[in-house]
Amino acid sequence: MTRRLPFVVGLVLVAAYLFPVYWMITASFKSDADIRAVPPQLIPLAPTPATWTSRIFGDPRVLHYVLNSAIVATGTMILSVALAAPAAYALARHRIRGRSVILFFCLSSLMFPSIMLATPLFVIFSRLHLTDSYLGLILADTTLALPYAIVLLRPTFATIPRELVEAATIDGCSPVRTFLQVALPLAKPGVATVAVLSFLWGWGDLVFALTLATDDSKRLVTTGLWGFFGANTSDWSGAMAFSTVGMAVPLVVFLLSQRFVVSGVTSGGLKG
């Protein structure tokens, strides 16, 4: 019994953690009256797909919001990896003056909430005509994802044996070619980890999506959820179904890349 206690405790904690997800999915198949029922229905007594057929699959805006989020999240992922990989490699393999200061600012930037950057970025992007655009949202999300990506990738590049880099240099490889053909393939788990986390960062952003994208054609999944709530009425069943759709995409991305993320975090933690 003592040996089973940690398993039972872990199972209870996981169940408590996943219960809101279960409630969200089951509520999407309930009517509004069943959602408000007292006592609450843990299992739908009269499940109906009406919300999915009318509010999700029958509304073209839902697919549009999902595509917008996919574009912004993919752009954030590509830009973050493209900038973080060479920066992290340089900080890990070369003696750069002020390296400690750069790392300090990368780490300290993680403490600033996105709401502090929303107003200045809105002013800057308004003058550059980048509001209500995919590029503006991608750049805004990258400002937060990039420092974290550099901090996470630097230990990964530091674990690469120096002998391999030196051998490539002796064979006549330029620094750029050494980075692209030797270091980058060896750091693939760490790069995959940063790519996934940057994608999730861009997908789940709400602050920048609210401040920089007021046009309905550029709304994301996070801001599209507000359409289910009005001043006097709220479509809870539709909101739960829409939230399920918004959760499904990053969940699939994470499940498909889980082994890369785990190996990337493990390899990145071997050397600071």
Side-chain angles (χ1 to χ4, degrees):
M1 183 63 182
T2 305
R3 296 180 179 179
R4 295 181 179 179
L5 183 59
F7 173 77
V8 174
V9 173
L11 187 63
V12 171
L13 292 177
V14 171
Y17 181 79
L18 293 179
F19 179 76
V21 179
Y22 167 79
W23 181 264
M24 176 183 66
I25 297 174
T26 55
S28 66
F29 293 95
K30 298 178 183 178
S31 63
D32 287 343
D34 291 338
I35 293 176
R36 296 186 177 92
V38 179
Q41 299 179 6
L42 297 180
I43 300 177
L45 300 180
T48 173
T51 299
W52 287 88
T53 55
S54 61
R55 296 288 282 153
I56 303 302
F57 300 118
D59 191 346
R61 293 179 301 173
V62 173
L63 179 60
H64 187 70
Y65 295 154
V66 172
L67 290 178
N68 286 346
S69 292
I71 292 173
V72 173
T74 303
T76 302
M77 176 187 67
I78 294 174
L79 186 58
S80 297
V81 172
L83 297 177
Y89 175 75
L91 291 172
R93 311 304 303 187
H94 299 287
R95 295 182 179 273
I96 300 176
R97 181 177 299 178
R99 179 174 60 177
S100 300
V101 177
I102 296 174
L103 291 174
F104 172 77
F105 279 112
C106 288
L107 288 171
S108 61
S109 65
L110 301 178
M111 298 185 296
F112 294 103
S114 56
I115 191 65
M116 293 181 62
L117 300 176
T119 301
L121 284 179
F122 176 79
V123 174
I124 295 173
F125 286 3
S126 296
R127 296 179 179 178
L128 297 177
H129 304 289
L130 290 177
T131 56
D132 291 324
S133 67
Y134 295 127
L135 180 59
L137 292 172
I138 291 172
L139 292 176
D141 290 333
T142 303
T143 58
L144 293 179
L146 182 58
Y148 181 77
I150 293 175
V151 171
L152 188 62
L153 268 181
R154 190 188 69 86
T156 302
F157 283 112
T159 59
I160 298 176
R162 186 174 297 275
E163 292 77 8
L164 294 177
V165 178
E166 294 176 350
T169 304
I170 294 174
D171 290 339
C173 291
S174 64
V176 175
R177 187 177 178 184
T178 301
F179 165 71
L180 293 176
Q181 297 184 359
V182 178
L184 197 59
L186 294 175
K188 187 181 297 183
V191 173
T193 301
V194 168
V196 172
L197 295 179
S198 299
F199 181 90
L200 297 179
W201 203 306
W203 183 274
D205 170 63
L206 174 62
V207 175
F208 294 144
L210 281 174
T211 56
L212 300 178
T214 57
D215 188 0
D216 187 68
S217 63
K218 295 298 185 296
R219 288 189 183 274
L220 308 183
V221 169
T222 51
T223 52
L225 183 63
W226 294 103
F228 295 89
F229 301 98
N232 300 316
T233 60
S234 298
D235 183 5
W236 286 106
S237 180
M240 295 298 177
F242 187 77
S243 299
T244 302
V245 173
M247 180 195 68
V249 174
L251 179 63
V252 170
V253 171
F254 182 80
L255 291 177
L256 293 177
S257 57
Q258 183 180 10
R259 64 187 185 93
F260 295 105
V261 173
V262 173
S263 60
V265 172
T266 302
S267 62
L270 294 177
K271 185 175 182 180

